[in-house]
Amino acid sequence: MIEGPYIAEAAALIGDPARANMLSALMDGRALTATELAHVAGVTPQTASGHLAKLKEANMLVVERQGRHRYFRLAGPEIAQAIEAISVVAQQGAPRHRPTGPRDEAMRFARTCYDHLAGQVAVAIVERFVELGYLVEGDDDFDVSDAGILALKDFGVEVESLRGQRRAFARRCLDWSERRAHIGGALGAAFLARCEAQGWLKTKAGSRSVLVTDAGRKGLSKSFGIGLPA
Amino acid sequence: MIEGPYIAEAAALIGDPARANMLSALMDGRALTATELAHVAGVTPQTASGHLAKLKEANMLVVERQGRHRYFRLAGPEIAQAIEAISVVAQQGAPRHRPTGPRDEAMRFARTCYDHLAGQVAVAIVERFVELGYLVEGDDDFDVSDAGILALKDFGVEVESLRGQRRAFARRCLDWSERRAHIGGALGAAFLARCEAQGWLKTKAGSRSVLVTDAGRKGLSKSFGIGLPA
DNA sequence: ATCATACTACGACCATAGCCGAAGTGTTGA
DNA sequence: TCAACACTTCGGCTATGGTCGTAGTATGAT
């Protein structure tokens, strides 16, 4: 086999705890400074600098200078996809002890996945939309029915303008905590953006956790009949 | 971040050259013995044994005993998907020197990817099918037109019977060597199987390389107007 | 029975690479 | 101009883990 070593190189790069933490922190698509990343990784700035240089060298990260700061972000959605795919494997490969702290709970409930919503809330939304006939679950992606197009238009998302972009329209993205699919792609991103604009969801700075506001709970219930656990 | 370490664990497992070689060799979905895997990895049997134990422990591989042999295979398509996703990242992260040996050439030309065809030949087929209007390229998968259904039926593949299976129907699978999509899923597998049955393609034992027979060249040209480079 | 084969367990060796302290460059602000 | 800050480079320490030799168990062939 010839490609093994190249795969190994990339996987080994992700396979260091400090770097994996950094990449995880960048999964929501935002850019963080080297110092922030050093913090989430739990290493000193000089160690972090080395890691970041390697990730950049491998084209997994891109960097923008801004004054004396250097902002790092994922080089593209393929990187996020690879990390998600590894997450899935890591999840099922672990029947052993796995403590779940409060922070973990929040992440399970609602979080960002690159630029769309993931977690219990995301899965609940998808399930309800399928139930209502708004979404049709395909093999690798979703399709939106005419009823779905109307409902989303009411909500403030223009579905048709999202098609035919370079990125996937409505990717079926496997949720690592729920082991069920949620919506990624252009539609997933647009939906999350609209929820934020409505004040239904708030993304916390420095974390992938997403807060569902009271207005959000009410809105999801009233508009779509989605009830969330307390 | 809470999931970083778990991701790192799984990625590190893939991130060793010997293990990556083994996993690559298993990408076509077949089962290989520990000795065969030691060979493709270029390590001694006792080293291979340790690696295989780790991969099994992590639920990436499953093992079947058969007499004094132990056959290892990928634990599921998620594993293959994760490795493919890493392949894509590894590919674009490498603008540096990358020698291509003859074996590499054969792999680039035609190989198996889990259980369907990949490489130049696979991409040429897809491009021609799209040109003929047989296939419609979606975001994450393909759809087959009525004309395509007829043409494939002529060729010996019953398209309709492949839909609605648990596995994806016609996954749009990114080809790491060509950087273009080829057909995966149930349709991809059925097409490869039919080509083998026709004597158009021959899979070599112990390798992912696929040989295109003279009959195959003629058939592809005559039936579909696909010309392959010498 | 005896031998060969397939695989595993243990132990020792050693290289890779992660880590931090110290010292450097470049940028901002006082 | 000086100091604080963000980040990088270098060098040395250390530990993790991949490697193989030796030795063991199970299975199959002669």
Side-chain angles (χ1 to χ4, degrees), chain B residues 109 120-121 124 217 227-230:
Chain B
F109 186 63
Q120 274 181 45
V121 175
R217 286 178 179 274
L228 299 176

Side-chain angles (χ1 to χ4, degrees), chain B residues 20-218:
Chain B
N21 276 325
M22 292 174 172
L23 291 168
S24 285
L26 294 169
M27 278 291 281
D28 58 4
R30 277 174 317 155
L32 299 178
T33 67
T35 307
E36 287 171 315
L37 288 168
H39 189 250
V40 301
V43 293
T44 59
Q46 54 273 41
T47 301
S49 180
H51 286 312
L52 291 168
K54 284 182 188 171
L55 291 170
K56 182 170 159 289
E57 170 74 22
N59 289 356
M60 290 191 192
L61 298 183
V62 289
V63 59
E64 298 165 40
R65 322 190 44 141
Q66 221 172 86
R68 54 183 166 183
H69 295 281
R70 311 194 112 206
Y71 282 90
F72 291 87
R73 74 169 71 243
L74 293 190
E78 319 83 40
I79 315 292
Q81 215 164 309
I83 294 167
E84 272 291 329
I86 295 170
S87 274
V88 172
V89 172
Q91 205 63 13
Q92 64 192 52
R96 67 176 166 289
H97 185 55
R98 188 152 287 201
T100 54
R103 187 162 178 194
D104 203 17
E105 276 312 315
M107 290 274 287
R108 284 187 140 70
F109 186 63
R111 66 179 179 281
T112 53
C113 170
Y114 205 56
D115 60 359
H116 56 267
L117 191 64
Q120 274 181 45
V121 175
V123 168
I125 291 171
V126 165
E127 287 190 341
R128 180 63 178 154
F129 277 19
V130 169
E131 196 179 316
L132 290 167
Y134 293 171
L135 282 181
V136 181
E137 193 163 359
D139 297 310
D140 284 334
D141 47 23
F142 290 97
D143 205 3
V144 184
S145 68
D146 291 340
I149 291 173
L150 281 176
L152 284 166
K153 185 166 192 166
D154 268 355
F155 178 56
V157 174
E158 284 292 341
V159 174
E160 289 310 331
S161 65
L162 299 172
R163 292 190 196 272
Q165 294 186 4
R166 220 186 49 213
R167 69 178 302 189
F169 164 64
R171 210 177 124 68
R172 192 165 166 280
C173 185
L174 195 52
D175 198 295
W176 62 256
S177 63
E178 298 300 303
R179 311 278 304 134
R180 296 266 295 110
H182 59 247
I183 312 174
L187 180 59
F191 190 84
L192 173 58
R194 183 63 186 152
C195 285
E196 281 193 279
Q198 294 266 61
W200 288 14
L201 301 178
K202 282 198 196 308
T203 55
K204 289 187 215 165
S207 155
R208 286 176 66 193
S209 290
V210 171
L211 184 71
V212 182
T213 64
D214 283 342
R217 286 178 179 274
K218 263 183 218 155

Side-chain angles (χ1 to χ4, degrees), chain A residues 122-202:
Chain A
V123 168
I125 290 171
V126 165
E127 288 190 340
R128 181 62 179 155
F129 277 19
V130 170
E131 196 180 319
L132 289 167
Y134 293 171
L135 283 182
V136 181
E137 193 163 0
D139 296 309
D140 284 335
D141 49 21
F142 291 97
D143 204 3
V144 184
S145 68
D146 291 340
I149 292 173
L150 282 177
L152 284 166
K153 184 165 193 168
D154 269 353
F155 178 56
V157 174
E158 284 293 342
V159 174
E160 289 309 331
S161 65
L162 299 172
R163 293 189 195 272
Q165 295 186 5
R166 219 185 48 212
R167 70 179 300 188
F169 164 62
R171 211 178 122 67
R172 193 164 164 280
C173 184
L174 196 52
D175 198 296
W176 61 256
S177 62
E178 299 299 304
R179 310 280 304 133
R180 294 267 294 109
H182 60 246
I183 313 174
L187 180 58
F191 190 84
L192 173 58
R194 183 62 187 153
C195 284
E196 281 194 280
Q198 295 266 58
W200 288 13
L201 301 178
K202 283 198 196 309

Side-chain angles (χ1 to χ4, degrees), chain A residues 60-82:
Chain A
M60 291 193 192
L61 298 183
V62 289
V63 59
E64 299 165 38
R65 323 190 43 143
Q66 222 172 84
R68 54 183 164 181
H69 295 281
R70 310 194 116 206
Y71 283 90
F72 291 86
R73 73 169 71 243
L74 293 189
E78 319 83 38
I79 315 292
Q81 215 165 306

